[in-house]
Amino acid sequence: VGKSHVTRGVFLTVNGISKPALEAIDKGKQPTFFIMDGHDLMMLLEDNLSLIDFFRRRQRLLAEQGRITAPFQELLTP
């Protein structure tokens, strides 16, 4: 039995992710998780965006575009 196609997860990294790691994740199956880095966390702690809105916008980018990363500023425009 495989995973549900709607399964979503978050990979939390303090210092971001390397280009080779991003390329490895992009190969093969479509990722079922997105990456949240230290900058994202700091922006959330400073109340630049609610945690719920952050997760909704990142999940949407993942579902619609297959993007596991996005600059935080891009998330501020709905």
Side-chain angles (χ1 to χ4, degrees):
V1 179
K3 289 183 182 178
S4 166
H5 69 283
V6 294
T7 301
R8 299 284 186 258
V10 178
F11 183 87
L12 182 58
T13 174
V14 174
N15 295 320
I17 190 162
S18 68
K19 186 175 179 178
L22 282 173
E23 291 170 358
I25 293 167
D26 282 340
K27 289 185 180 181
K29 297 179 183 179
Q30 180 175 356
T32 57
F33 65 92
F34 61 83
I35 296 171
M36 179 178 178
D37 64 18
H39 180 71
D40 293 332
L41 183 58
M42 291 303 300
M43 294 292 102
L44 291 170
L45 291 173
E46 292 178 1
D47 276 339
N48 289 299
L49 186 66
S50 75
L51 183 61
I52 291 172
D53 285 338
F54 174 81
F55 282 138
R56 285 184 180 146
R57 292 174 190 184
R58 291 302 304 273
Q59 286 179 358
R60 186 172 183 173
L61 285 174
L62 178 63
E64 293 178 358
Q65 300 176 18
R67 293 175 55 196
I68 61 171
T69 63
F72 190 87
Q73 286 301 112
E74 186 177 326
L75 303 175
L76 296 177
T77 53

